[in-house]
Amino acid sequence: MVYRKLAIIGEVGAGKTRLISSMSEIQPFETEAESSIDIGKKYTTVGIDYGRISLSEDSALGLYGVPGQERYSFLWELVKESLWGLLVLVKYGEEPNYQNLNKLLTFFEPQNKEVACVVGVTHCENASDQDLTALNSEIQAILEHHKLVAPVLYVDPRNKESATSLLHVINSINGSFSA
Amino acid sequence: MSNNIEIRAELLDGIKELCQSDRGIVLVSLCTTDGFSIKSFASKELSGEADKLAAMSSTISALSDSSAKQVLANKFDVTIVESEAGNILFVRATYLKLPCVLTVAAKSGLALALARYKTKTLAKKIGSIV
Ligand SMILES: Nc1nc2c(ncn2[C@@H]2O[C@H](COP(=O)(O)OP(=O)(O)O)[C@@H](O)[C@H]2O)c(=O)[nH]1
Ligand SMILES: [Mg+2]
């Protein structure tokens, strides 16, 4: 059995927990706690979100979501090694927390570990093309700063097909790494 | 982002009382289940990263809760980490009706049963503050 590992990172409310529950074949293991501050939703992840997808008869993909806040960096540590892919979710609509994004990318350093990385922009179903283009170029600037090449895609974590399409992109990046 | 939870005198008194009751107690910390520190006291020898400790306590309480629910169909009450140097206890609590975790670390000189009793007593006391 080949077991691969995908880490899903990004700030609070980006859609990490939802994405895993959309994609996973098993009932995901979630660690939600009621939020004591206003973060725009009732529950927040305080541990790991875990889900699984079988890729073929003898291979499976583990989905690992971790909280984005830096005080949870001891959990980032747990999922950082031997990744098949890194998925970075960015929430459209409010000014993204670039400082947080920088911290996450510095920590996971996909460019140095040759880990396939994809950025998924969420909450953007009603965004105008113009706004998306603006966000896209800001994200590109950050990626460049980290010397990181990664496609930026629009995704709806609530939709299984949309979520799964990200996996195909990561898969094809991995194909070109090994070629 | 930070929390603005009122620190009542009864809370401070309760924590102080526990700290002073035995020299083996090196840490007492109360945090919300979503990982924000409310009040924490640590002896000088411990590095005091209250926000990280609060995050860890919230993770452990969530994992404990998931396990207890999965296996015992019940909520968790206490999780204990034992080591040669001492024990860490994580006890479910409420403070001003907020779900919280009370974390206490005691050196091995303090018997686990006693540390557990003292910690649960404080948790009960904190829960009665409304
Ligand atoms: N409208 C909309 N809602 C979304 C989208 N992605 C996630 N959500 C919702 O946003 C909320 C926060 O998502 P969650 O998965 O908890 O975020 P996390 O903090 O990254 O784990 C949930 O209610 C999701 O259903 C999206 O693309 N569009
Ligand atoms: Mg989450």
Side-chain angles (χ1 to χ4, degrees), chain A residues 160-175:
Chain A
K160 185 173 180 176
E161 264 165 51
S162 171
T164 313
S165 68
L166 296 174
L167 297 184
H168 295 297
V169 177
I170 295 177
N171 196 31
S172 61
I173 298 175
N174 277 323

Side-chain angles (χ1 to χ4, degrees), chain A residues 9-99:
Chain A
I9 60 175
E11 58 186 301
V12 177
K16 304 177 292 292
T17 302
R18 192 55 214 262
L19 185 92
I20 290 172
S21 77
S22 294
M23 287 200 287
S24 180
E25 290 165 359
I26 57 166
Q27 172 80 25
F29 180 86
E30 295 176 356
T31 48
E32 302 283 282
E34 208 167 308
S35 183
S36 65
I37 56 169
D38 183 13
I39 52 170
K41 56 175 188 163
K42 190 163 181 225
Y43 291 96
T44 187
T45 307
V46 294
I48 281 189
D49 288 319
Y50 171 74
R52 197 176 60 214
I53 301 177
S54 33
L55 299 175
S56 66
E57 239 167 60
D58 56 0
S59 69
L61 180 65
L63 311 168
Y64 295 84
V66 286
Q69 303 94 316
E70 201 188 4
R71 64 185 196 281
Y72 286 101
S73 60
F74 62 95
L75 292 172
W76 304 354
E77 212 76 66
L78 288 184
V79 300
K80 179 183 182 180
E81 297 307 324
S82 332
L83 290 178
W84 172 77
L86 179 69
L87 176 56
V88 186
L89 294 187
V90 176
K91 182 177 178 177
Y92 167 86
E94 46 209 63
E95 174 76 4
N97 185 336
Y98 291 117
Q99 203 190 341

Side-chain angles (χ1 to χ4, degrees), chain A residues 132-154:
Chain A
L132 285 179
T133 310
L135 177 61
N136 197 320
S137 55
E138 285 173 34
I139 293 173
Q140 291 297 346
I142 291 185
L143 295 178
E144 260 166 52
H145 175 75
H146 288 270
K147 302 197 169 45
L148 180 59
V149 182
V152 178
L153 304 164
Y154 307 116

